[in-house]
């Protein structure tokens, strides 16, 4: 059921009377074309003065021209003058003009004034209801928008395609998809499902709720598709991390003749970032350049992110430097790119530049990138200094759980496991699973069994379904030679029916992604791959390499452990890359 929710009590600002002239009756009725000419040329103030002079002779066409120009210019004061003039001259406002007032006040972010006009209307039509629902929805009042939709149905007013498309945007949050499904049933009953606006809003609602299969069903059922509906489904896949599906659908729709806009390309680049598919990304970038799209900052940010995740930091920086009006997302995309590649010096230099520009203020993502980059790049002292500056409130961003997690990760990398454990105990907030998992990983690397067991047991309480925690704790115990304790953890894992998804590595060659799992035997060139791994092992051993057998956590002899190491997914992917690319590439 859609829950009934009270309207919020808005503070309604009074409508002042800015008319400075006394209303007079003109000898001739106003010419509507005069107002339209003045308004179309942007002379709103002159048109408002003309309205004052016309007084009681003002008519529908004049008011309509004035309100339309006020909406276009978002001129709330001008709109209030028109509204006041209609009231003072006792002009009987038709539903249409009252609805235009609602639209105006909404555009000018005066939701209280819009609600007052709506409440005072003696009669309303479907456009009026839709305008007010849209006002609530655009301002983030989703429950109020849904409640108003229910009142509309009870009033006997039949919704149209724009009403449904509007109210579906309010189906968000915990109960959003439940409300959306109820509205979907009304759409089916009233046969609005094939309409392009309704269909696009439906699939967008399902995609944002994580119900991508329902979104795809709606998409496939559309009798015609436009760039909005195509972009919505591609974006839905990309936002859920279904990158390959997003990319396949994009190419399929392109073959069908789909036109793309900057939002489409930004969604595709998000998918390519997840796949680190450099060649595909360059193709999409080239397509963007050929279509001569305007330099939307959203699209430029997506390109910076894509090239960064593909390891092409030079391309990323070139695009970043050419962004004329950088947003905090632009800075963050470049900082995260440097951070993920351990380029601590570049992170610090760029962060200092951001602070010096003053125009854009750092946010919590900025500090996450800086802390993580310094941690991965060996600048631990600088990271701790930045964190202390956050605590002191230097940039107005207080540390949150993720920032504390970066410090724990940093201390863990430095081998200061006990210090990290004490840091967690003194935190002003409760540690989450990610933070404790980071410390458990550090305990595994530095073989700190005591802290590891304490943290591991806590994690098993918080996340009993997370297979990774069982595996790391078991591996830590096995590394310390405590085989019986390790087996106990593995048996507990089986008892709770927890299964670990195998890790995988992949490499892109000739625009094809080749994926490998540990001990993989499914690749068509598997024999060549394993032969290359063995060849490389012999070569690097001659240079002094000794395999770390402690990471093979099976109670078997040394020779068998070395064989197990040969099947690591990353080794297989690299070996395939070496045999499948031209020499020297």
């Amino acid at each position: 059921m859609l829950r009934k929710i009270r309207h919020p009590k808005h503070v309604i600002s009074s409508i002042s009377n800015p008319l400075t002239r006394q209303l007079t009756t003109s000898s001739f009725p106003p010419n509507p074309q005069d107002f339209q000419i003045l308004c179309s040329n942007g002379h709103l103030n002159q048109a408002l003065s003309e309205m004052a002079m016309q007084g009681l002779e003002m008519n529908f066409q004049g008011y309509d021209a004035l309100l339309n120009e006020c909406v276009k210019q978002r001129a709330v004061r001008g709109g209030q003058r028109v509204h006041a003039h209609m009231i003072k001259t006792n002009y009987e406002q038709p539903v249409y003009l009252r609805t235009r007032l609602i639209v105006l006040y909404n555009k000018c972010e005066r939701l209280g004034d819009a609600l007052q006009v709506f409440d005072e209307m003696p009669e309303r039509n479907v456009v009026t209801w839709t305008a007010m629902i849209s006002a609530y929805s655009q301002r983030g009042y989703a429950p109020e928008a849904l409640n108003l939709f229910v009142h509309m149905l009870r009033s006997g007013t039949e919704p149209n395609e724009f009403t449904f498309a509007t109210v579906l945007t309010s189906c968000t949050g915990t109960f959003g998809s439940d409300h959306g499904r109820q509205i979907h049933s009304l759409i089916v009953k009233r046969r609005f499902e094939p309409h392009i606006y309704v269909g696009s809003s439906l699939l967008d609602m399902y995609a944002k709720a994580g119900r991508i299969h329902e979104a795809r069903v709606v998409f496939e059922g559309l009798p015609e598709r436009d760039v909005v509906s195509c972009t919505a489904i591609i974006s839905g896949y990309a936002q859920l991390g279904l990158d390959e599906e997003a990319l396949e659908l994009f190419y399929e729709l392109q073959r069908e003749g789909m036109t793309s806009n900057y939002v489409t390309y930004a969604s595709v680049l998000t998918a390519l970032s997840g796949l680190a598919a450099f060649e595909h990304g360059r193709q999409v970038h080239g397509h963007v350049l050929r279509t001569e799209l305007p330099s939307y900052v959203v699209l430029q940010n997506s390109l910076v992110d894509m090239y960064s995740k593909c390891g092409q930091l030079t391309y990323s920086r070139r695009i970043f430097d050419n962004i004329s009006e950088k947003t905090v997302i632009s800075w963050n995309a470049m900082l995260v790119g440097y951070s993920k590649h351990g380029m601590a010096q570049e992170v610090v230099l760029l962060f200092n530049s951001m602070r010096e520009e003053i125009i854009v203020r750092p946010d919590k993502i900025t500090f996450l990138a800086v802390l993580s980059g310094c941690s991965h790049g060996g600048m631990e002292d600088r990271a701790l200094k930045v964190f202390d500056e956050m605590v002191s409130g230097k940039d107005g961003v207080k540390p949150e759980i993720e920032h504390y997690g970066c410090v724990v990760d940093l201390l863990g990398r430095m081998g200061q496991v006990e210090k990290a454990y004490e840091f967690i105990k003194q935190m002003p907030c409760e540690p989450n699973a990610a933070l404790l998992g980071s410390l458990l990983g550090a305990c595994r690397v530095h073989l700190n069994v005591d802290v590891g067991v304490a943290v591991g047991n806590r994690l098993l309480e918080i996340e009993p379904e997370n297979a990774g925690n069982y595996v790391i704790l078991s591996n830590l115990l096995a590394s310390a030679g405590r085989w019986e304790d390790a087996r106990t953890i593995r048996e507990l894992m089986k008892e709770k029916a927890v299964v670990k998804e195998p890790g995988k590595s992949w490499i892109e060659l000739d625009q094809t992604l080749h994926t490998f799992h540990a001990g993989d035997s499914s690749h068509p060139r598997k024999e060549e791959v394993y032969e290359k791994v063995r060849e490389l092992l012999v070569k690097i051993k001659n240079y002094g390499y000794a395999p770390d057998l402690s990471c093979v956590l099976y109670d078997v002899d040394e020779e068998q452990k070395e064989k197990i190491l040969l099947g690591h997914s990353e080794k297989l992917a690299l070996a395939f890359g070496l045999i499948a690319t031209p020499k020297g590439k």
Side-chain angles (χ1 to χ4, degrees):
M1 285 287 290
L2 295 176
R3 294 173 295 147
K4 184 175 180 181
I5 299 166
R6 289 174 167 269
H7 287 296
K9 292 183 178 179
H10 296 283
V11 178
I12 310 298
S13 60
S14 61
I15 300 174
S16 59
N17 178 19
L19 296 176
T20 53
R21 298 172 185 240
Q22 185 175 355
L23 295 174
T24 59
T25 304
S26 175
S27 303
F28 300 98
N31 185 352
Q33 289 186 347
D34 293 341
F35 285 102
Q36 289 171 0
I37 292 169
L38 287 171
C39 291
S40 63
N41 291 327
H43 302 311
L44 179 59
N45 288 332
Q46 193 176 339
L48 290 169
S49 298
E50 181 68 21
M51 174 190 71
M53 292 175 63
Q54 294 294 344
L56 297 171
E57 297 299 322
M58 278 295 294
N59 57 21
F60 172 85
Q61 287 83 358
Y63 285 130
D64 183 35
L66 283 165
L67 284 176
N68 285 335
E69 187 60 23
C70 288
V71 170
K72 181 180 175 182
Q73 295 188 22
R74 297 176 187 265
V76 66
R77 294 300 177 194
Q80 287 175 329
R81 286 178 66 178
V82 177
H83 192 180
H85 190 278
M86 288 191 286
I87 293 171
K88 286 193 172 265
T89 57
N90 291 320
Y91 178 75
E92 190 173 337
Q93 304 163 43
V95 173
Y96 172 83
L97 289 181
R98 291 177 190 262
T99 303
R100 294 303 290 162
L101 282 169
I102 292 172
V103 171
L104 167 69
Y105 287 134
N106 175 40
K107 284 234 176 190
C108 298
E109 300 185 18
R110 302 293 288 264
L111 187 58
D113 291 342
L115 181 61
Q116 184 178 30
V117 173
F118 180 81
D119 287 340
E120 291 174 353
M121 290 181 72
E123 60 177 304
R124 303 161 183 145
N125 60 21
V126 63
V127 181
T128 310
W129 286 97
T130 302
M132 196 64 226
I133 291 169
S134 177
Y136 274 132
S137 183
Q138 289 175 24
R139 304 291 156 226
Y141 291 97
E144 287 76 13
L146 291 167
N147 187 40
L148 194 62
F149 178 68
V150 173
H151 281 297
M152 174 185 177
L153 295 175
R154 289 174 179 167
S155 73
T157 305
E158 278 294 310
N160 61 19
E161 63 270 25
F162 300 107
T163 315
F164 282 120
T166 300
V167 76
L168 282 167
T169 62
S170 294
C171 297
T172 57
T174 308
F175 303 103
S177 61
D178 293 335
H179 293 154
R181 291 173 71 184
Q182 292 181 54
I183 293 171
H184 191 175
S185 67
L186 291 175
I187 290 168
V188 173
K189 287 177 183 176
R190 287 166 169 78
R191 299 182 179 179
F192 279 110
E193 197 174 25
H195 199 285
I196 188 66
Y197 297 128
V198 179
S200 296
S201 295
L202 265 176
L203 72 87
D204 186 56
M205 181 272 295
Y206 280 125
K208 286 177 178 174
R211 296 175 174 270
I212 196 66
H213 297 298
E214 286 95 326
R216 187 62 182 264
V217 169
V218 173
F219 179 75
E220 296 295 345
L222 291 174
E224 59 177 302
R225 300 163 182 169
D226 63 359
V227 66
V228 176
S229 57
C230 292
T231 300
I233 190 68
I234 292 169
S235 176
Y237 277 117
Q239 295 301 326
L240 290 171
L242 300 169
D243 303 315
E244 291 183 36
E245 291 85 345
L247 199 56
E248 287 171 10
L249 182 59
F250 171 70
Y251 286 130
E252 178 188 325
L253 293 173
Q254 272 208 322
R255 287 191 293 270
E256 293 177 7
M258 175 193 76
T259 55
S260 302
N261 60 18
Y262 76 98
V263 183
T264 317
Y265 287 120
S267 300
V268 172
L269 288 167
T270 299
L272 291 168
S273 298
L275 294 170
F278 174 56
E279 291 299 332
H280 285 284
R282 285 205 335 179
Q283 283 192 7
V284 172
H285 189 185
H287 205 282
V288 170
L289 295 174
R290 286 193 298 275
T291 53
E292 298 182 348
L293 281 171
S295 297
Y296 292 104
V297 70
V298 173
L299 187 53
Q300 291 174 307
N301 293 343
S302 297
L303 284 166
V304 170
D305 182 57
M306 183 274 294
Y307 280 124
S308 295
K309 286 178 178 171
C310 292
Q312 303 294 329
L313 276 302
T314 304
Y315 285 100
S316 292
R317 187 57 188 260
R318 191 179 301 160
I319 294 166
F320 173 80
D321 289 339
N322 286 325
I323 299 176
S324 56
E325 295 182 11
K326 298 178 181 70
T327 65
V328 69
I329 297 173
S330 310
W331 289 94
N332 289 347
M334 196 66 243
L335 284 166
V336 169
Y338 283 137
S339 174
K340 285 190 177 293
H341 290 83
M343 301 171 71
Q345 291 282 358
E346 287 78 0
V347 169
V348 171
L349 288 172
L350 190 62
F351 179 56
N352 291 339
S353 298
M354 183 182 186
R355 276 177 160 174
E356 288 166 7
E357 281 206 6
I358 304 174
I359 300 169
V360 178
R361 303 286 296 174
D363 64 6
K364 63 181 183 180
I365 306 297
T366 312
F367 284 100
L368 277 175
V370 174
L371 291 171
S372 178
C374 290
S375 172
H376 287 77
M379 295 182 68
E380 293 86 358
D381 292 338
R382 177 63 174 150
L384 292 172
K385 183 182 177 183
V386 170
F387 182 78
D388 289 338
E389 289 171 351
M390 285 188 75
V391 173
S392 67
K394 179 178 178 179
D395 292 276
V397 180
K398 289 293 183 183
E400 297 181 8
I401 188 71
E402 294 85 2
H403 303 101
Y404 284 99
C406 282
V407 175
V408 170
D409 179 65
L410 181 151
L411 294 172
R413 287 174 183 274
M414 295 169 68
Q416 299 181 21
V417 175
E418 286 84 1
K419 187 175 179 180
Y421 193 39
E422 288 303 314
F423 178 80
I424 290 174
K425 290 179 181 178
Q426 294 169 16
M427 279 168 40
C429 50
E430 280 293 311
N432 60 16
L435 189 148
L436 292 171
S438 172
L439 182 55
L440 179 60
C443 291
R444 163 74 185 88
V445 172
H446 298 288
L447 292 179
N448 192 315
V449 179
D450 293 336
V451 174
V453 169
V455 173
N457 288 331
R458 178 80 182 278
L459 272 169
L460 297 186
E461 293 175 7
I462 298 174
E463 285 187 322
E465 75 291 343
N466 188 336
N469 298 329
Y470 293 89
V471 172
I472 296 173
L473 181 55
S474 171
N475 291 352
L476 172 61
L477 293 166
S479 298
R482 292 169 56 174
W483 296 105
E484 284 302 319
D485 292 335
R487 286 191 189 96
T488 300
I489 298 296
R490 293 280 183 173
E491 287 168 8
L492 179 63
M493 189 176 173
K494 288 180 183 178
E495 183 183 312
K496 293 183 177 290
V498 178
V499 180
K500 182 182 182 298
E501 184 180 344
K504 62 181 179 180
S505 302
W506 63 90
I507 184 168
E508 180 197 0
L509 292 173
D510 298 325
Q511 300 180 24
T512 302
L513 285 172
H514 298 264
T515 305
F516 295 87
H517 293 85
D520 204 332
S521 60
S522 61
H523 197 276
R525 299 180 67 180
K526 60 181 181 294
E527 292 177 4
E528 295 175 75
V529 170
Y530 278 99
E531 181 59 34
K532 188 66 175 179
V533 172
R534 284 190 287 270
E535 176 193 323
L536 288 170
L537 185 63
V538 171
K539 285 185 177 180
I540 61 177
K541 273 187 173 182
N542 292 335
Y543 284 97
Y545 166 73
D548 180 11
L549 302 179
S550 67
C551 62
V552 181
L553 304 166
Y554 294 95
D555 195 6
V556 294
D557 61 36
E558 301 294 293
E559 186 179 351
Q560 187 61 30
K561 285 184 177 182
E562 193 167 315
K563 284 183 179 178
I564 291 170
L565 278 179
L566 287 176
H568 192 286
S569 65
E570 200 164 16
K571 286 189 175 74
L572 299 178
L574 286 169
F576 175 74
L578 289 170
I579 65 174
T581 52
K583 189 175 181 179
K585 182 173 181 180

